[in-house]
mmCIF file of all heavy atoms in Angstrom:
data_model
loop_
_atom_site.group_PDB
_atom_site.id
_atom_site.type_symbol
_atom_site.label_atom_id
_atom_site.label_comp_id
_atom_site.label_asym_id
_atom_site.label_seq_id
_atom_site.Cartn_x
_atom_site.Cartn_y
_atom_site.Cartn_z
ATOM 1 N N ASP J 1 1.803 -13.365 4.725
ATOM 2 C CA ASP J 1 1.142 -14.091 5.795
ATOM 3 C C ASP J 1 -0.141 -13.376 6.276
ATOM 4 O O ASP J 1 -0.889 -13.937 7.053
ATOM 5 C CB ASP J 1 2.040 -14.372 6.945
ATOM 6 C CG ASP J 1 3.223 -15.296 6.604
ATOM 7 O OD1 ASP J 1 3.046 -16.075 5.635
ATOM 8 O OD2 ASP J 1 4.272 -15.142 7.234
ATOM 9 N N ILE J 2 -0.382 -12.135 5.806
ATOM 10 C CA ILE J 2 -1.599 -11.415 6.240
ATOM 11 C C ILE J 2 -2.750 -11.887 5.273
ATOM 12 O O ILE J 2 -2.765 -11.586 4.068
ATOM 13 C CB ILE J 2 -1.452 -9.935 6.085
ATOM 14 C CG1 ILE J 2 -0.276 -9.401 6.896
ATOM 15 C CG2 ILE J 2 -2.738 -9.160 6.421
ATOM 16 C CD1 ILE J 2 -0.540 -8.979 8.306
ATOM 17 N N LYS J 3 -3.655 -12.697 5.836
ATOM 18 C CA LYS J 3 -4.667 -13.288 4.953
ATOM 19 C C LYS J 3 -6.034 -12.571 5.069
ATOM 20 O O LYS J 3 -6.888 -12.838 4.212
ATOM 21 C CB LYS J 3 -4.854 -14.781 5.395
ATOM 22 C CG LYS J 3 -3.601 -15.612 5.421
ATOM 23 C CD LYS J 3 -2.986 -15.772 4.027
ATOM 24 C CE LYS J 3 -1.818 -16.713 4.055
ATOM 25 N NZ LYS J 3 -0.980 -16.685 2.848
ATOM 26 N N ILE J 4 -6.257 -11.733 6.014
ATOM 27 C CA ILE J 4 -7.580 -11.099 6.205
ATOM 28 C C ILE J 4 -7.778 -10.014 5.091
ATOM 29 O O ILE J 4 -6.790 -9.530 4.553
ATOM 30 C CB ILE J 4 -7.721 -10.527 7.608
ATOM 31 C CG1 ILE J 4 -6.686 -9.462 7.897
ATOM 32 C CG2 ILE J 4 -7.780 -11.539 8.684
ATOM 33 C CD1 ILE J 4 -6.947 -8.709 9.194
ATOM 34 N N PRO J 5 -9.050 -9.708 4.784
ATOM 35 C CA PRO J 5 -9.314 -8.641 3.842
ATOM 36 C C PRO J 5 -8.615 -7.350 4.240
ATOM 37 O O PRO J 5 -8.701 -6.901 5.420
ATOM 38 C CB PRO J 5 -10.823 -8.503 3.843
ATOM 39 C CG PRO J 5 -11.370 -9.770 4.419
ATOM 40 C CD PRO J 5 -10.294 -10.292 5.349
ATOM 41 N N THR J 6 -7.891 -6.761 3.270
ATOM 42 C CA THR J 6 -7.106 -5.566 3.586
ATOM 43 C C THR J 6 -7.418 -4.466 2.569
ATOM 44 O O THR J 6 -7.360 -4.697 1.381
ATOM 45 C CB THR J 6 -5.614 -5.912 3.536
ATOM 46 O OG1 THR J 6 -5.312 -6.937 4.509
ATOM 47 C CG2 THR J 6 -4.709 -4.705 3.845
ATOM 48 N N LEU J 7 -7.704 -3.261 3.138
ATOM 49 C CA LEU J 7 -7.993 -2.124 2.291
ATOM 50 C C LEU J 7 -6.780 -1.196 2.422
ATOM 51 O O LEU J 7 -6.311 -0.868 3.496
ATOM 52 C CB LEU J 7 -9.258 -1.401 2.831
ATOM 53 C CG LEU J 7 -9.606 -0.082 2.136
ATOM 54 C CD1 LEU J 7 -10.073 -0.364 0.659
ATOM 55 C CD2 LEU J 7 -10.724 0.601 2.896
ATOM 56 N N LEU J 8 -6.289 -0.741 1.237
ATOM 57 C CA LEU J 8 -5.122 0.151 1.200
ATOM 58 C C LEU J 8 -5.615 1.478 0.574
ATOM 59 O O LEU J 8 -6.209 1.513 -0.529
ATOM 60 C CB LEU J 8 -4.035 -0.396 0.309
ATOM 61 C CG LEU J 8 -3.542 -1.801 0.686
ATOM 62 C CD1 LEU J 8 -2.744 -2.434 -0.424
ATOM 63 C CD2 LEU J 8 -2.721 -1.803 1.959
ATOM 64 N N VAL J 9 -5.536 2.576 1.374
ATOM 65 C CA VAL J 9 -5.961 3.908 0.909
ATOM 66 C C VAL J 9 -4.765 4.832 0.913
ATOM 67 O O VAL J 9 -4.247 5.099 1.971
ATOM 68 C CB VAL J 9 -7.133 4.463 1.689
ATOM 69 C CG1 VAL J 9 -7.669 5.759 1.084
ATOM 70 C CG2 VAL J 9 -8.279 3.447 1.844
ATOM 71 N N TRP J 10 -4.401 5.319 -0.285
ATOM 72 C CA TRP J 10 -3.132 6.150 -0.360
ATOM 73 C C TRP J 10 -3.414 7.487 -0.983
ATOM 74 O O TRP J 10 -4.208 7.583 -1.916
ATOM 75 C CB TRP J 10 -2.130 5.378 -1.187
ATOM 76 C CG TRP J 10 -0.892 5.023 -0.447
ATOM 77 C CD1 TRP J 10 0.318 5.617 -0.561
ATOM 78 C CD2 TRP J 10 -0.758 4.006 0.526
ATOM 79 N NE1 TRP J 10 1.227 5.044 0.321
ATOM 80 C CE2 TRP J 10 0.624 4.025 0.983
ATOM 81 C CE3 TRP J 10 -1.622 3.041 1.099
ATOM 82 C CZ2 TRP J 10 1.084 3.164 1.951
ATOM 83 C CZ3 TRP J 10 -1.119 2.159 2.078
ATOM 84 C CH2 TRP J 10 0.202 2.279 2.500
ATOM 85 N N GLY J 11 -2.734 8.483 -0.501
ATOM 86 C CA GLY J 11 -2.789 9.801 -1.150
ATOM 87 C C GLY J 11 -1.805 9.739 -2.363
ATOM 88 O O GLY J 11 -0.667 9.373 -2.261
ATOM 89 N N LEU J 12 -2.320 10.277 -3.479
ATOM 90 C CA LEU J 12 -1.483 10.251 -4.716
ATOM 91 C C LEU J 12 -0.279 11.201 -4.617
ATOM 92 O O LEU J 12 0.662 11.114 -5.318
ATOM 93 C CB LEU J 12 -2.342 10.716 -5.944
ATOM 94 C CG LEU J 12 -2.992 9.570 -6.739
ATOM 95 C CD1 LEU J 12 -3.827 10.151 -7.891
ATOM 96 C CD2 LEU J 12 -1.900 8.667 -7.302
ATOM 97 N N ASN J 13 -0.392 12.112 -3.645
ATOM 98 C CA ASN J 13 0.649 13.125 -3.446
ATOM 99 C C ASN J 13 1.452 12.937 -2.135
ATOM 100 O O ASN J 13 2.045 13.842 -1.637
ATOM 101 C CB ASN J 13 0.033 14.531 -3.505
ATOM 102 C CG ASN J 13 -0.832 14.710 -4.758
ATOM 103 O OD1 ASN J 13 -2.055 14.441 -4.633
ATOM 104 N ND2 ASN J 13 -0.242 15.058 -5.842
ATOM 105 N N ASP J 14 1.380 11.698 -1.639
ATOM 106 C CA ASP J 14 2.124 11.343 -0.369
ATOM 107 C C ASP J 14 3.612 11.321 -0.647
ATOM 108 O O ASP J 14 4.051 10.559 -1.527
ATOM 109 C CB ASP J 14 1.614 9.968 0.075
ATOM 110 C CG ASP J 14 2.189 9.536 1.446
ATOM 111 O OD1 ASP J 14 3.168 10.181 1.888
ATOM 112 O OD2 ASP J 14 1.666 8.612 2.020
ATOM 113 N N THR J 15 4.336 12.171 0.038
ATOM 114 C CA THR J 15 5.785 12.202 -0.177
ATOM 115 C C THR J 15 6.568 11.439 0.923
ATOM 116 O O THR J 15 7.749 11.235 0.830
ATOM 117 C CB THR J 15 6.313 13.635 -0.218
ATOM 118 O OG1 THR J 15 5.941 14.300 0.983
ATOM 119 C CG2 THR J 15 5.793 14.417 -1.433
ATOM 120 N N VAL J 16 5.809 11.038 1.942
ATOM 121 C CA VAL J 16 6.464 10.284 3.073
ATOM 122 C C VAL J 16 6.469 8.758 2.698
ATOM 123 O O VAL J 16 7.511 8.096 2.803
ATOM 124 C CB VAL J 16 5.720 10.519 4.412
ATOM 125 C CG1 VAL J 16 6.384 9.776 5.507
ATOM 126 C CG2 VAL J 16 5.655 11.998 4.697
ATOM 127 N N THR J 17 5.302 8.215 2.341
ATOM 128 C CA THR J 17 5.183 6.872 1.844
ATOM 129 C C THR J 17 4.517 7.010 0.458
ATOM 130 O O THR J 17 3.326 6.929 0.353
ATOM 131 C CB THR J 17 4.377 5.973 2.766
ATOM 132 O OG1 THR J 17 3.099 6.647 3.056
ATOM 133 C CG2 THR J 17 5.061 5.628 4.050
ATOM 134 N N PRO J 18 5.373 7.235 -0.593
ATOM 135 C CA PRO J 18 4.757 7.517 -1.914
ATOM 136 C C PRO J 18 3.892 6.468 -2.500
ATOM 137 O O PRO J 18 3.854 5.315 -1.923
ATOM 138 C CB PRO J 18 6.062 7.670 -2.775
ATOM 139 C CG PRO J 18 7.169 7.941 -1.795
ATOM 140 C CD PRO J 18 6.773 7.229 -0.562
ATOM 141 N N PRO J 19 3.092 6.753 -3.537
ATOM 142 C CA PRO J 19 2.149 5.805 -4.048
ATOM 143 C C PRO J 19 2.704 4.439 -4.385
ATOM 144 O O PRO J 19 2.030 3.426 -4.228
ATOM 145 C CB PRO J 19 1.650 6.527 -5.330
ATOM 146 C CG PRO J 19 1.789 7.953 -5.039
ATOM 147 C CD PRO J 19 3.060 8.097 -4.175
ATOM 148 N N MET J 20 3.976 4.374 -4.779
ATOM 149 C CA MET J 20 4.593 3.077 -5.126
ATOM 150 C C MET J 20 4.667 2.178 -3.852
ATOM 151 O O MET J 20 4.700 0.943 -4.002
ATOM 152 C CB MET J 20 5.995 3.256 -5.744
ATOM 153 C CG MET J 20 7.038 3.931 -4.910
ATOM 154 S SD MET J 20 7.987 2.809 -3.916
ATOM 155 C CE MET J 20 9.247 3.914 -3.278
ATOM 156 N N VAL J 21 4.666 2.767 -2.673
ATOM 157 C CA VAL J 21 4.642 1.990 -1.419
ATOM 158 C C VAL J 21 3.281 1.284 -1.312
ATOM 159 O O VAL J 21 3.155 0.079 -0.994
ATOM 160 C CB VAL J 21 4.900 2.841 -0.163
ATOM 161 C CG1 VAL J 21 4.837 1.973 1.073
ATOM 162 C CG2 VAL J 21 6.257 3.495 -0.282
ATOM 163 N N GLY J 22 2.171 1.991 -1.608
ATOM 164 C CA GLY J 22 0.866 1.359 -1.616
ATOM 165 C C GLY J 22 0.755 0.244 -2.628
ATOM 166 O O GLY J 22 0.173 -0.811 -2.341
ATOM 167 N N GLU J 23 1.391 0.454 -3.794
ATOM 168 C CA GLU J 23 1.403 -0.600 -4.820
ATOM 169 C C GLU J 23 2.133 -1.794 -4.411
ATOM 170 O O GLU J 23 1.784 -2.955 -4.672
ATOM 171 C CB GLU J 23 1.977 -0.004 -6.138
ATOM 172 C CG GLU J 23 1.012 0.964 -6.828
ATOM 173 C CD GLU J 23 1.667 1.858 -7.878
ATOM 174 O OE1 GLU J 23 2.922 1.700 -8.111
ATOM 175 O OE2 GLU J 23 0.965 2.654 -8.494
ATOM 176 N N GLU J 24 3.264 -1.596 -3.629
ATOM 177 C CA GLU J 24 4.030 -2.753 -3.167
ATOM 178 C C GLU J 24 3.270 -3.514 -2.115
ATOM 179 O O GLU J 24 3.293 -4.743 -2.063
ATOM 180 C CB GLU J 24 5.369 -2.165 -2.568
ATOM 181 C CG GLU J 24 6.379 -3.237 -2.321
ATOM 182 C CD GLU J 24 6.857 -4.027 -3.514
ATOM 183 O OE1 GLU J 24 6.717 -3.571 -4.699
ATOM 184 O OE2 GLU J 24 7.400 -5.135 -3.379
ATOM 185 N N PHE J 25 2.569 -2.800 -1.201
ATOM 186 C CA PHE J 25 1.731 -3.478 -0.250
ATOM 187 C C PHE J 25 0.640 -4.334 -0.919
ATOM 188 O O PHE J 25 0.374 -5.459 -0.531
ATOM 189 C CB PHE J 25 0.969 -2.406 0.686
ATOM 190 C CG PHE J 25 1.787 -2.040 1.933
ATOM 191 C CD1 PHE J 25 2.183 -0.692 2.082
ATOM 192 C CD2 PHE J 25 2.067 -2.937 2.914
ATOM 193 C CE1 PHE J 25 2.885 -0.350 3.195
ATOM 194 C CE2 PHE J 25 2.793 -2.537 4.035
ATOM 195 C CZ PHE J 25 3.178 -1.254 4.236
ATOM 196 N N LYS J 26 0.109 -3.743 -1.990
ATOM 197 C CA LYS J 26 -0.931 -4.475 -2.779
ATOM 198 C C LYS J 26 -0.368 -5.810 -3.359
ATOM 199 O O LYS J 26 -1.010 -6.841 -3.342
ATOM 200 C CB LYS J 26 -1.463 -3.559 -3.887
ATOM 201 C CG LYS J 26 -2.325 -4.255 -4.926
ATOM 202 C CD LYS J 26 -3.775 -4.399 -4.412
ATOM 203 C CE LYS J 26 -4.715 -4.972 -5.450
ATOM 204 N NZ LYS J 26 -4.483 -6.388 -5.714
ATOM 205 N N LYS J 27 0.886 -5.744 -3.844
ATOM 206 C CA LYS J 27 1.538 -6.930 -4.402
ATOM 207 C C LYS J 27 1.786 -8.010 -3.329
ATOM 208 O O LYS J 27 1.639 -9.180 -3.584
ATOM 209 C CB LYS J 27 2.870 -6.579 -5.021
ATOM 210 C CG LYS J 27 2.803 -6.049 -6.441
ATOM 211 C CD LYS J 27 4.224 -5.869 -6.960
ATOM 212 C CE LYS J 27 4.251 -4.676 -7.906
ATOM 213 N NZ LYS J 27 5.642 -4.146 -8.183
ATOM 214 N N LEU J 28 2.117 -7.545 -2.148
ATOM 215 C CA LEU J 28 2.548 -8.487 -1.094
ATOM 216 C C LEU J 28 1.442 -9.081 -0.226
ATOM 217 O O LEU J 28 1.519 -10.207 0.205
ATOM 218 C CB LEU J 28 3.593 -7.815 -0.196
ATOM 219 C CG LEU J 28 4.961 -7.540 -0.848
ATOM 220 C CD1 LEU J 28 5.787 -6.598 -0.015
ATOM 221 C CD2 LEU J 28 5.711 -8.840 -1.069
#
């Protein structure tokens, strides 16, 4: 339901919210 332009910036070495979390946000 989030329709506005969204930028996702993730650290490749993030151990708290790992890169796959950024990828999941991108899908949704």
Side-chain angles (χ1 to χ4, degrees):
D1 295 333
I2 303 269
K3 306 297 187 192
I4 59 174
T6 300
L7 177 67
L8 307 165
V9 186
W10 242 255
L12 266 177
N13 310 92
D14 187 344
T15 58
V16 181
T17 50
M20 61 91 172
V21 179
E23 287 164 0
E24 193 62 20
F25 272 116
K26 170 79 176 72
K27 275 186 213 162
L28 290 167

